[in-house]
Amino acid sequence: MAMRGSLLARSLIAAPLAVAAVGAALLPEIGEAESHLGAPECVRWHRPGRVLFYKDTAVHAVGISLPSELVAAEVPAKRPPGEPHVAPFAGSRMGGDTKEYSFGPGDEDAYHAWYAQHRFALTRRKGGWDALRHPEILAAGSVPLFENLAEAPPYSVPFVPVEKLVQAERELSDYTGRLEAAYNATVRGLLEHTRNCLTAEAMAAHILRTMGLWPTSRPLRVLYVSCGWGWSGTINDGWQGPVSIGLFIGLQRLLARVPGSRVVDAPPLPGANWTPPADLPPTYLWYTYEQDTSSASMDESDARRLMYGYGFSYARRLPPGLMASVEERRSVIDDIHRHAFDAVVFGKVGPAQGCEPLPYFDEVQQAGYPAQRIAMIYGGDFGLQFGNTSRHIRLMGGLGTVFVREIDADPDRFEMRPTSVLPASCYMENEWRMFFKLWEMRL
């Protein structure tokens, strides 16, 4: 058989983990702080020179993150002795039910301060093991008391410092003044971990690092592809889920530190199930940008009521200057075909919880982008333990680099393999990849 593919595509074939394994010494650093963000060690089950496989497919971790300014600089002042020092569970039972919220749409600062005042805060799994509440508590300078955390599947909540939290609950939760020094030392360590591993910027660095693109000394152009849900016909259909939102914010902020870099969020295609309303910015992620109050079409309180969780920890975090221009959006398809993007990130992938079909996916494949430059973000509640999701991941794993939030299948189905088992260049041609993928799934 004749092998097809351009010299450019073949030059990008080197496995992303192999690139990462070389180490930052061979990649120009843009700054010490940035180079440490999203380090491989942020994933609690990381093994140097190894990659996690689910059956026949390499899977990489992704998690829920929040903007870096929410991380406390130091252990915050706590409630005085005699007052409750454990914050009760603050979420709704089913998720997104604002009738059960203790805070209103304008109370975000009070919400974060409330966590900061408590020494501990209750949290638990809901739709999945990962949740925005976990990093919110950590960032506030409190210690999560995570219900049944010791029973979590071994590859779940990969960016949460599980062992440290289990130890803290065991040794510190029966708090008295004699534990003050140990408590403060624990919180300082958790804040450092949160800053390096659970911020939006750190999650973006982790994704780019896995793709062999971080650290960088040159400008990067990233295409971010997402969609609205398209199931209710309301403005809420623009909700992306916390993984996609955090990653988008992180990519924008991280690459803003590299002059000349751009993150372009692809516009809706004709016939899309849902498009942003005409009176809002023309982006699925309109709520991540600061609002221009002089021309706002609705009161901010009303806008917040349209956002999941009132937009706490993600809304209005980006300056409007980072928003893609009309010209950048109009030229997306042409730019795909001329390989103007260093990476394409599909921010919301997966059956019943992602974009179906994936917008611009055919164009990206036709342009010949190698799998190492395509990120497939499975950030929804339904993880690998669900048959539809696992089958989808195994099929798409031949066409992109797969990142999964809920790595929750039976542990016996996973294996750590040397990075050297990743396919050679001829295998990476899409036709060959799909042939061997389907053949292996059949066996």
Side-chain angles (χ1 to χ4, degrees):
M1 295 185 185
M3 297 293 102
R4 293 189 290 172
S6 68
L7 180 60
L8 171 63
R10 291 181 184 277
S11 70
L12 296 174
I13 288 305
L17 282 181
V19 173
V22 170
L26 297 185
L27 294 170
E29 296 188 358
I30 67 168
E32 184 176 356
E34 290 86 355
S35 67
H36 286 122
L37 290 175
E41 295 75 21
C42 284
V43 178
R44 63 188 181 92
W45 38 261
H46 167 72
R47 299 292 182 272
R50 298 265 168 173
V51 60
L52 183 67
F53 270 73
Y54 172 77
K55 296 185 177 179
D56 53 4
T57 302
V59 293
H60 307 275
V62 70
I64 296 173
S65 59
L66 43 58
S68 57
E69 69 268 17
L70 293 177
V71 183
E74 185 49 85
V75 181
K78 302 297 179 180
R79 291 185 169 189
E83 293 190 14
H85 62 259
V86 179
F89 182 75
S92 60
R93 285 169 292 180
M94 298 302 294
D97 186 354
T98 56
K99 295 189 297 294
E100 298 182 16
Y101 285 4
S102 303
F103 297 87
D107 296 338
E108 181 175 359
D109 290 343
Y111 171 74
H112 294 298
W114 179 73
Y115 275 136
Q117 294 163 4
H118 289 85
R119 295 188 180 276
F120 305 92
L122 299 180
T123 189
R124 65 170 188 258
R125 67 164 297 178
K126 288 175 66 177
W129 280 96
D130 201 8
L132 181 57
R133 189 177 310 99
H134 313 332
E136 284 177 335
I137 294 169
L138 287 163
S142 185
V143 177
L145 299 180
F146 196 138
E147 181 181 330
N148 298 323
L149 180 59
E151 301 172 13
Y155 300 112
S156 63
V157 283
F159 297 90
V160 171
V162 171
E163 292 183 2
K164 291 181 180 179
L165 296 188
V166 171
Q167 180 182 359
E169 181 172 1
R170 182 177 64 249
E171 298 178 358
L172 300 173
S173 60
D174 190 15
Y175 181 81
T176 64
R178 64 182 177 82
L179 295 174
E180 179 78 6
Y183 174 86
N184 288 343
T186 296
V187 171
R188 290 189 185 100
L190 293 175
L191 286 172
E192 184 69 11
H193 174 88
T194 303
R195 196 171 292 111
N196 289 331
C197 302
L198 281 164
T199 61
E201 296 90 331
M203 199 61 63
H206 162 73
I207 297 296
L208 294 177
R209 190 186 299 271
T210 303
M211 300 173 78
L213 292 170
W214 191 262
T216 183
S217 62
R218 64 177 179 86
L220 296 177
R221 295 192 79 232
V222 174
L223 177 65
Y224 198 90
V225 182
S226 193
C227 62
W229 282 114
W231 53 262
S232 72
T234 71
I235 197 169
N236 282 318
D237 283 357
W239 169 245
Q240 303 296 305
V243 171
S244 177
I245 294 172
L247 181 56
F248 179 74
I249 292 172
L251 286 168
Q252 288 279 26
R253 289 176 157 207
L254 186 71
L255 293 182
R257 306 174 190 180
V258 184
S261 294
R262 289 293 285 169
V263 179
V264 177
D265 56 309
L269 286 169
N273 289 332
W274 184 89
T275 58
D279 56 346
L280 292 173
T283 167
Y284 285 122
L285 294 128
W286 59 271
Y287 40 77
T288 63
Y289 292 95
E290 296 169 358
Q291 186 180 36
D292 181 359
T293 55
S294 64
S295 60
S297 59
M298 67 177 73
D299 180 77
E300 178 64 7
S301 179
D302 293 335
R304 289 276 183 158
R305 292 180 190 278
L306 298 173
M307 303 177 199
Y308 188 93
Y310 295 145
F312 285 11
S313 303
Y314 67 84
R316 311 306 190 192
R317 299 289 170 173
L318 296 174
L322 294 180
M323 192 182 302
S325 67
V326 173
E327 292 75 16
E328 286 175 315
R329 289 199 175 96
R330 284 177 178 168
S331 65
V332 160
I333 291 179
D334 287 342
D335 286 348
I336 289 173
H337 284 290
R338 65 185 186 88
H339 280 254
F341 297 108
D342 297 283
V344 180
V345 178
F346 290 95
K348 205 167 71 170
V349 185
Q353 57 187 352
C355 309
E356 292 286 349
L358 284 176
Y360 299 94
F361 187 74
D362 289 346
E363 287 82 359
V364 171
Q365 291 298 299
Q366 291 165 8
Y369 280 77
Q372 285 80 8
R373 294 296 180 261
I374 303 171
M376 316 287 283
I377 310 297
Y378 288 80
D381 290 344
F382 306 123
L384 280 164
Q385 67 169 310
F386 294 90
N388 286 344
T389 304
S390 62
R391 284 190 292 272
H392 198 279
I393 286 172
R394 294 178 69 194
L395 281 171
M396 299 302 287
L399 302 173
T401 304
V402 171
F403 296 86
V404 185
R405 167 189 150 194
E406 296 295 326
I407 306 178
D408 54 1
D410 187 329
D412 292 340
R413 299 182 180 181
F414 295 96
E415 181 183 1
M416 283 284 188
R417 300 180 187 175
T419 55
S420 59
V421 306
L422 293 175
S425 59
C426 65
Y427 193 106
M428 295 296 283
E429 296 293 337
N430 287 338
E431 294 86 350
W432 280 101
R433 288 178 65 92
M434 290 305 298
F435 171 79
F436 285 113
K437 172 69 69 175
L438 292 171
W439 183 262
E440 189 170 2
M441 289 178 67
R442 180 184 175 194
L443 294 178

